[in-house]
Amino acid sequence: MSGRTDHVVVVGAGLAGLSAALHLLGAGRRVTVVESASHPGGRAGLLDTAGYRIDTGPTVLTMPEVVDDALGAVGESLADRLELRPLHPAYQARFADGSSLAVHSDAEAMEAEVRRFAGPEEAAGYRRLRRWLTELYEAQIDRFIAANLDSPLNLIHPAAARLVALGGLGRLGPAVGRRLRDERLRRVFSFQALYAGLSPRRAMAAYGVIAYLDTVGGVWFPKGGMRALPRALADAAAAHGAEFRYDSPVRRLERGGDRVRAVHTDQERIECDAVVLTPDLPTAYRLLGRTPRRLVPLRWSPSAVVLHLGVAGGAQADPAHHVISFGAAWERTFREIIDEGRLMTDPSLLLTRPTVTDPTLAPKGRELLYLLAPAPNLAVGRQDWARLGPAYRDELIAVAIRRGLLTDAPDIDLRHLVTPKDWAEGGHGAGTPFSLAHTLSQTGPFRPGNRVAGTENVALAGSGTTPGVGVPTALISGRLAAARVTGIPAGSGSRTEGRTRGR
C-alpha cells in the first residue's frame, strides 16, 4: 500500500483478523480490532448453555505451526498461550458394511491399520499415496498457499511445473484411485474435497493437500475447546498493544477519494490509515461500496446442518474424538447437495465428541456431541428451514442411533440445531460457513483477491479470499493481508516455511 499505514483497523476478530492483527503488531503498526460479537472467534464461535460449553464453528485443527507463526510475529509461541492435544487416531471412519478404520497420521501405525483393514497390497498403496500427498503439500505450501498471487503469471515457477508433474491439475478421486483399490479407503482420502466445495470427481488433485493435513500432518484439539484458539490469539494481541472493541458492528467506511479515512461503528468513529476487512465477501463488498467484476459468477460451497447434543455419559458407542460415518451412497450424495440442491438421501456424517478429550466442556456425567450433515447452500437449495429444521433434527438423531453412533433411547437434555438459514443470518454468503467453492476459476490467482481496485488502503482476509477455506488457511489469509499493508513479504520469517512431516 502507498501512503501511511501507521494505524490499522481490523474489522472482525475471527481467526483471519486476529492473525492479521498479530502480524501487523509485529511489523510495528498500531492496531484496533472491531468485532460485532462480544468475544473473539468469528466463525469459530461459542455458545454456553445448561452447563455445556459449545464450539459452534470448526472442530478440526490442523497445521498448528500456522498458529505458532502468528504468535511468533509478536515474539511469543504457541506453547506460551495454548495447550494442544494430538488426537490418536485423528478420526475413526465407519462404513455402511459395518467395517471401521482408525485413521492415524503416524505412517507406521496407519500402514498397519490399512494392512489389517484391506490387506498388504493396499498397505503398499497407502505408502505410495502418503508420499504423493506429501509431495503435493511441499510443492504448494510456500509458493501457492502462503503467498499473495496477483496474476496468472505468478504461476510461472518451478513449483508449478512440479505440481503439474505430480498430476495436481488432474482430478482428486481418480488420482487417489490409482493408488488405492479399496473403495472405502478411497473415500477416506478423498472426501476432503467437500471442504473445498466440490466432489472428489471434480476437485483438482492439488486439493489432496487437504487430505495431507489430517492424514499426514495430524489433528489436534485445544484444551478448553476450539474457542481457546481465538482467545489465545486475542490475548496475545492485546498484550502487545492491540485495542479491541467488542459489541461494535461496523456500519460504514468513511472514504476520502481512494482511501478509507475512518471506520464507523454504532458507538464511534475510528480514524485509520489502513483497514483489513474480514467479513464474508458480500458484506465486505457492501462496506466498500463496490463489487469487483468477474467473468464467471461466484460459486458457493455446500452448507451444513449442525446438531449439538447433550447426552448422558456412555450414550455413544465409539470412543474416538472424531467419527466419520459414511453412507452406502457416494457420487449420489455429492450430486444431491451440490448440483440438485437436495438433502442427502443416504447421509455421510461427522460426529465430534469434544468431551472425550476435554470432559470440562459438559456437566459432570454428561457428554457433548457435534453432529454435522452436509447440506445444500441457499443458492441451490430450496428448503424451508424454519419448517423443516425440527423434523430433520429428529431424522439425524434416528440415523445416528441406527448406525450405532448413539445408543438406543439416549438420554438427551440438549438439542441445538444450526441450519443454512442460521448461517445466512450470521452473515455467511449463501448460508454456508464454508464460503466460496475452490473451483478452477476460484483458485490461486483466480480466487477473489485480497485487494479491491479503487480502494488504496484496504486489504481483505478470510475464507472468501486467498488462499481459501479452513482454519490454517484463514490464519494464513490474515498474514497475507498484513503483508499487503506493510509491504513485508508474507513468507519472511515464517515458521511454516518448508515444514513437513516425515514420509
Side-chain angles (χ1 to χ4, degrees):
M1 294 180 181
S2 61
R4 291 183 54 179
T5 59
D6 297 344
H7 177 212
V8 186
V9 172
V10 177
V11 178
L15 297 178
L18 294 169
S19 173
L22 287 164
H23 286 285
L24 289 166
L25 290 166
R29 299 316 193 264
R30 176 187 162 212
V31 176
T32 301
V33 182
V34 292
E35 166 59 46
S36 60
S38 58
H39 51 79
R43 278 177 168 84
L46 57 87
L47 172 67
D48 293 337
T49 181
Y52 292 95
R53 301 171 63 203
I54 300 170
D55 290 320
T56 60
T59 62
V60 177
L61 177 59
T62 59
M63 286 185 75
E65 59 267 27
V66 183
V67 181
D68 195 41
D69 179 65
L71 292 167
V74 293
E76 297 199 23
S77 70
L78 190 154
D80 296 329
R81 292 283 178 179
L82 197 64
E83 180 182 335
L84 292 186
R85 299 173 179 178
L87 299 184
H88 303 298
Y91 52 88
Q92 192 83 14
R94 299 179 59 167
F95 303 93
D97 64 1
S99 60
S100 180
L101 176 79
V103 179
H104 298 279
S105 55
D106 177 78
E108 285 71 29
M110 189 60 189
E111 182 179 357
E113 176 69 354
V114 172
R115 183 177 293 109
R116 175 201 67 80
F117 182 78
E121 289 187 9
E122 291 299 88
Y126 160 71
R127 277 291 194 175
R128 292 193 297 272
L129 178 66
R130 183 183 178 98
R131 286 193 294 271
W132 178 68
L133 293 174
T134 302
E135 290 170 348
L136 278 180
Y137 175 84
E138 291 173 340
Q140 295 181 78
I141 181 61
D142 293 327
R143 181 67 188 180
F144 302 122
I145 297 174
N148 279 313
L149 302 175
D150 293 319
S151 163
L153 296 177
N154 294 137
L155 301 178
I156 302 174
H157 188 273
R162 178 61 178 154
L163 186 60
V164 172
L166 289 168
L169 301 188
R171 293 292 174 250
L172 178 62
V176 172
R178 286 192 291 273
R179 293 162 173 89
L180 296 171
R181 294 179 179 273
D182 191 291
E183 180 63 29
R184 299 165 300 173
L185 289 175
R186 291 179 179 183
R187 294 187 183 192
V188 167
F189 291 97
S190 65
F191 80 89
Q192 295 88 350
L194 191 59
Y195 298 154
L198 301 165
S199 74
R201 183 171 54 84
R202 294 182 181 178
M204 285 192 302
Y207 285 110
V209 70
I210 308 176
Y212 166 88
L213 294 181
D214 60 10
T215 66
V216 179
V219 178
W220 281 260
F221 188 71
K223 181 180 180 181
M226 288 293 288
R227 66 179 66 194
L229 172 57
R231 173 50 65 188
L233 298 176
D235 286 349
H240 290 271
E243 297 181 21
F244 283 83
R245 308 281 204 276
Y246 293 112
D247 298 306
S248 299
V250 172
R251 297 308 180 190
R252 69 183 183 92
L253 305 178
E254 179 185 320
R255 302 178 67 100
D258 288 342
R259 298 183 68 85
V260 171
R261 303 295 185 187
V263 173
H264 289 256
T265 71
D266 285 340
Q267 292 84 19
E268 61 183 321
R269 173 184 180 272
I270 307 172
E271 292 188 0
C272 58
D273 301 310
V275 177
V276 174
L277 281 178
T278 71
D280 222 353
L281 288 184
T283 300
Y285 291 156
R286 175 179 57 78
L287 288 171
L288 287 172
R290 58 196 65 196
T291 299
R293 297 179 62 184
R294 289 179 59 86
L295 295 176
V296 180
L298 294 177
R299 177 176 171 181
W300 298 90
S301 294
S303 185
V305 173
V306 176
L307 177 58
H308 301 280
L309 294 173
V311 301
Q316 52 289 320
D318 204 308
H321 186 112
H322 295 296
V323 179
I324 298 176
S325 173
F326 291 103
W330 187 238
E331 289 293 343
R332 187 181 79 207
T333 294
F334 295 101
R335 186 170 62 251
E336 286 171 340
I337 61 175
I338 296 175
D339 300 324
E340 299 171 1
R342 298 193 295 126
L343 296 176
M344 297 177 291
T345 53
D346 183 17
S348 290
L349 306 171
L350 168 65
L351 176 69
T352 296
R353 291 179 60 199
T355 40
V356 166
T357 307
D358 189 345
T360 67
L361 301 177
K364 187 175 181 180
R366 309 295 296 182
E367 294 276 357
L368 178 60
L369 308 181
Y370 172 112
L371 188 63
L372 182 148
N377 62 45
L378 297 183
V380 297
R382 296 293 180 267
Q383 291 77 24
D384 179 358
W385 284 108
R387 179 188 60 81
L388 178 63
Y392 195 57
R393 174 199 64 201
D394 295 341
E395 181 180 337
L396 289 177
I397 293 173
V399 170
I401 292 172
R402 285 199 304 272
R403 295 186 182 179
L405 300 175
L406 289 172
T407 58
D408 293 339
D411 175 11
I412 301 174
D413 65 354
L414 172 71
R415 296 173 175 84
H416 180 75
L417 186 72
V418 183
T419 73
K421 177 176 179 290
D422 299 309
W423 297 121
E425 291 173 352
H428 302 302
T432 172
F434 305 114
S435 196
L436 297 181
H438 286 263
T439 60
L440 178 60
S441 64
Q442 295 176 172
T443 293
F446 309 111
R447 197 165 181 83
N450 57 10
R451 295 295 306 278
V452 177
T455 305
E456 176 59 37
N457 62 337
V458 175
L460 307 184
S463 295
T465 186
T466 186
V469 178
V471 170
T473 40
L475 291 163
I476 290 171
S477 80
R479 188 175 82 197
L480 296 179
R484 294 296 197 188
V485 176
T486 64
I488 300 172
S492 298
S494 168
R495 301 185 188 184
T496 65
E497 193 168 348
R499 183 176 292 188
T500 58
R501 291 285 299 270
R503 304 182 185 197

